[in-house]
Structures are given as C-alpha cells and as structure tokens.
Amino acid sequence: MTGPATDPTARTRRAQHAWCLYDWANSTFATSIVAAILPVYFARTAARSMPAHEATALWGYASAATLAIAALLSPFVGALADQTRRRKPLLLACVSLGVLATLALAAVPPGDWHPLLPTFALAFVAFMVANVLYDSLLPAIAAPDEMDRVSARGFAYGYVGGGVLLAVNLAMVTMPHAFGLPDAATATRAAFVTVALWWFGFSLPLLRQVPEPEAEPAHVPVRELPAAVFARLARTGRELGRHPDLLRFLIAFWLYSDGIGTIIKMATIYGVEVGLGDRDLMGALLLVQVLAAPASIAFGRLARPLGARGTVLLGLAGYTGISVFAFFLHHAWQFWVLAALVAVFQGGTQALSRSLFASLVPPDRSGELFGFYSVSEKLAGVIGPVLFGIVAQATQHGRLATLTLLPLFLGGAWLFTRVDFARGRAAAAAAASHDGPV
C-alpha cells in the first residue's frame, strides 16, 4: 500500500508548495529592498548632496550596472548547474550571499549613501542569479499542462509574502517608536535585517523537498569544468539560431521585460522626485502586493479560455496604458491608481511568460536556457534604467523618461505575436528525444 510519505502525488504537491514558497521567501527582497524602502532611503540620503533628478539618474545607472553583472553570470551559472546537476547547492550559495549582503546594508552608517550602492549591487546580483536556478527547477515539479498554474501560483505566493513583510516594514519606518526604535533611519536598517532573515528561513523548504531534475551528472574533472561550461554555452548560443521560435520569444521577452523591470525599479524614486510622501509611496506599493496575488491567480485561470499567449498580450496592452498614465502623474491619488493597475497586470504577465518559455525548453537543458532567459530579462533591465536616467538628466525631470517605455511594450508585443508556440514545443520535444543540442 502506498502511504502519504511515499505517494507520488503527495510528494509532487509538497514539492510544488515548497517551490512556490521560495517566491514567498525572496519576494521580500524585491518589494522591501528593490522597490520600496531602499530607493526612498537612498533618494532622501543622496538628496542632501545632489538634486533630486540626479539621484533618480544615479539609481537608474546603478541598477543597470548591477543587472549587467547578473546578466554575465546567469548563463554561466545555469550551464554549470546543468553540467553538474547541482542546482540546489548553487541556489543555496546564492541565497546565502544575498542574505549576508542584505544584512550588510543594515551596517551602513546612517546618512552615507556611498556604501549603499555596492552593497545593494552584491545582494541584487545574488538575488537575480538565484532566480535563474529557481526558475530552472519548474520543469522538475510540474508537468507541461501544469506549468501555467504552478508558475502563476508561485507569483501569487510571492506577492502575499512580499506584501506581509512590506506591511511590517512600512509600519516600522513610519511608526518607529511603536517598535522601540529611535527614528525612521534606524527602523529602515532594522527592516533590512528582517528581509534577510525572512529570505533565508523560507528558502529552506525548497532545498529539502524540491528534487533535482532527473538526469545523470556529467563526469567532467573539476579542472576541465570551466572549459566544458563555456563550450556548452557556445553550443547553445549557436543552436538558438536554428530554433527561431525560441529565439524570437527571447527577443520579445527582452523588450517587454525591459519596460516591466524599469517600472518596478524606478517607480518609487520617480515618485520621490515628483514630491510624493513616504507613506503614499510605500502604501501604494503595499497595495500592489495585496492586489497582485489574486490578480496572478486570475491571470493563470484566464489563460484557459484566452490561452497563455492571449493573456500575456492583454497584460502588455495594460502596461502600455500604464506608461502613458505615468507621464501625467502629479498627485498622490494618481500614484495609487498607477499601483493598482500595475498590480493587475504584473504578476500574471511575468508568470505566464515564465511558463511559456519553460514549455519551449528541453528539460535536460533547463538551467542553461533559463540562464539565457534571465540574460534577456537582465539586459533589458540594463537598457531601461539607463534610458530613464539619460532622459531624466537631459530634461532635468523623470517625466519624459516614462515615455521611453512605449516602444519596448509595443515592439515586444508585436514580436511576441510572431512566435509559433506549437512549432516551438515540437522542436523542444524533438531535441529532448534525440538528447542533442537545443
């Protein structure tokens, strides 16, 4: 008799829950550090020595440089994971580095913004590379017909987890005395500590319960491993040209992910420049977390009647409208409306993009190809904030910079419509059955 401990269905459910729980764990870094608290803290601190638009531009350039580093590392780490079949130990290493760097943010002296940027960069690189390994585990815990649902559920977990801790952090920063803290600056640094502990603690179920993808490890001597990884990357790069649908999807994702990522990274610092208060900025971001969880689930269900492709296009249409709306931002209530619109479209668009890409990838190459997927996302993140910073500097305001997002969403949507997913999935299945290159 098969008991609960050995029931394959029960094990799969536990593995899916543990996989989704990592989104709950690491989303606190994305919300409290990347989107809400650190940009505002940096802007307020840097404003003591530079104009507000210069602080906006500097944050954009720092974000771009960090993403460029992560883009260079991601395919190498993904290929290394495929070569060694040790995704989870590599994931643990990235999580540990990111957690330690996040703790180091709390040790930066108050009022000194210079150490914040390199410390944040180290934590952010670890966070992004860890996501490559996390995403590459999706095919190991979900069948092809489950990927849309499980991926969307992961994003929903992330929004709830990120929102819960963001609410606590927001209360800490706005009411420090209620937490026994002397001022908002001390509360901000204490919030960084809570993010680090949350990230590490809730990552442990994935490390215990999610299996490595079933495959024999490649027996490559340690001294030959770097050369083998680079050779594998070079081969994959060459072979991508032979799979036009996979390549076309990557380029489309590169474009529209540029816009999504830029909105996430630049929204609060743009709000500071416009003159919004901290409570409105952080409260609106908390609203995103509250609304985005059910919106992600709804998008996952909407993919059944509309198809994942049609649902992603709906999300990109929404983001096009958001970009135009941001140009007219003047008042706090408009920022709240903007946050609500982002909440509706953000999680579902990203979740379905992840599952669509997973459906085009041979399972035995998932780590490596999710590395390329991550490169698309990160290189996009390089260009968007740079363009935002350049326009903000040239016009001495970030308002016109919001319009740089329009061609990214429109161009990405057009190219996305040119992807033949049925043909791409057939190519992935053929590549897997022949155990050959992509």
Side-chain angles (χ1 to χ4, degrees):
M1 181 181 295
T2 301
T6 59
D7 180 10
T9 302
R11 286 200 306 270
T12 299
R13 285 198 299 266
R14 287 195 299 271
Q16 290 177 351
H17 174 73
W19 184 85
C20 292
L21 201 58
Y22 182 76
D23 244 319
W24 170 286
N26 78 340
S27 290
T28 58
F29 183 87
T31 54
S32 290
I33 303 294
V34 178
I37 296 177
L38 186 58
V40 175
Y41 183 62
F42 171 79
R44 302 294 189 210
T45 305
R48 301 173 185 176
S49 59
M50 67 178 71
H53 71 273
E54 292 286 348
T56 300
L58 182 59
W59 183 258
Y61 296 148
S63 298
T66 302
L67 286 165
I69 295 170
L72 293 173
L73 288 176
S74 293
F76 177 81
V77 173
L80 181 64
D82 285 339
Q83 193 75 31
T84 62
R85 301 293 186 245
R86 292 177 64 81
R87 286 177 176 81
K88 292 199 295 183
L90 289 169
L91 177 61
L92 176 60
C94 290
V95 169
S96 299
L97 179 60
V99 166
L100 290 173
T102 303
L103 288 172
L105 285 171
V108 173
D112 186 1
W113 62 266
H114 294 85
L116 285 174
L117 292 180
T119 307
F120 164 69
L122 181 61
F124 198 23
V125 167
F127 166 80
M128 296 299 287
V129 175
N131 279 345
V132 174
L133 300 164
Y134 164 64
D135 288 344
S136 74
L137 290 168
L138 177 58
I141 53 96
D145 60 347
E146 295 180 302
M147 285 185 183
D148 289 345
R149 178 182 57 82
V150 175
S151 183
R153 181 148 55 100
F155 270 90
Y157 274 46
Y159 282 119
V160 175
V164 168
L165 191 59
L166 179 60
V168 175
N169 292 157
L170 177 60
M172 291 170 64
V173 173
T174 56
M175 299 180 294
H177 297 293
F179 292 83
L181 300 168
D183 51 45
T186 304
T188 297
R189 297 196 302 279
F192 297 156
V193 175
T194 66
V195 170
L197 297 178
W198 183 288
W199 184 5
F200 185 79
F202 286 109
S203 297
L204 297 178
L206 179 148
L207 298 169
R208 290 197 303 263
Q209 297 180 16
V210 173
E212 293 279 355
E214 294 183 4
E216 290 296 322
H219 299 290
V220 179
V222 174
R223 66 180 180 277
E224 298 177 12
L225 192 56
V229 168
F230 280 116
R232 189 178 178 104
L233 284 173
R235 184 182 70 179
T236 298
R238 291 193 301 269
E239 293 297 328
L240 277 173
R242 302 180 187 176
H243 292 257
D245 294 298
L246 180 59
L247 181 60
R248 198 172 288 126
F249 178 89
L250 279 171
I251 298 172
F253 180 75
W254 183 84
L255 289 170
Y256 68 74
S257 180
D258 189 333
I260 294 174
T262 303
I263 287 174
I264 293 170
K265 296 174 190 66
M266 304 303 295
T268 50
I269 202 162
Y270 174 58
V272 171
E273 182 184 340
V274 170
L276 304 183
D278 290 359
R279 292 197 179 192
D280 285 315
L281 291 169
M282 295 185 189
L285 288 171
L286 180 59
L287 176 67
V288 171
Q289 303 305 119
V290 172
L291 296 181
S296 295
I297 297 296
F299 256 68
R301 293 178 179 174
L302 194 60
R304 293 179 181 176
L306 292 184
R309 176 177 176 170
T311 310
V312 169
L313 287 172
L314 175 64
L316 297 182
Y319 266 111
T320 302
I322 287 169
S323 303
V324 175
F325 185 80
F327 176 79
F328 297 99
L329 180 65
H330 288 281
H331 306 291
W333 70 266
Q334 292 172 310
F335 193 79
W336 285 83
V337 171
L338 189 70
L341 292 173
V342 168
V344 169
F345 297 110
Q346 180 174 294
T349 302
Q350 292 177 310
L352 293 176
S353 296
R354 177 169 62 184
S355 59
L356 281 171
F357 181 76
S359 72
L360 299 174
V361 172
D364 64 328
R365 309 293 294 280
S366 63
E368 181 179 340
L369 286 167
F370 266 103
F372 275 86
Y373 178 83
S374 181
V375 166
S376 296
E377 186 176 27
K378 292 172 182 59
L379 287 177
V382 171
I383 293 176
V386 166
L387 287 175
F388 205 101
I390 290 172
V391 174
Q393 279 191 312
T395 62
Q396 297 189 349
H397 203 287
R399 190 172 304 282
L400 282 174
T402 63
L403 299 182
T404 63
L405 306 179
L406 288 177
L408 303 174
F409 288 125
L410 294 173
W414 176 82
L415 194 57
F416 184 82
T417 64
R418 312 297 295 173
V419 179
D420 187 329
F421 285 96
R423 183 175 61 192
R425 291 181 182 118
S433 65
H434 287 89
D435 194 27
V438 179

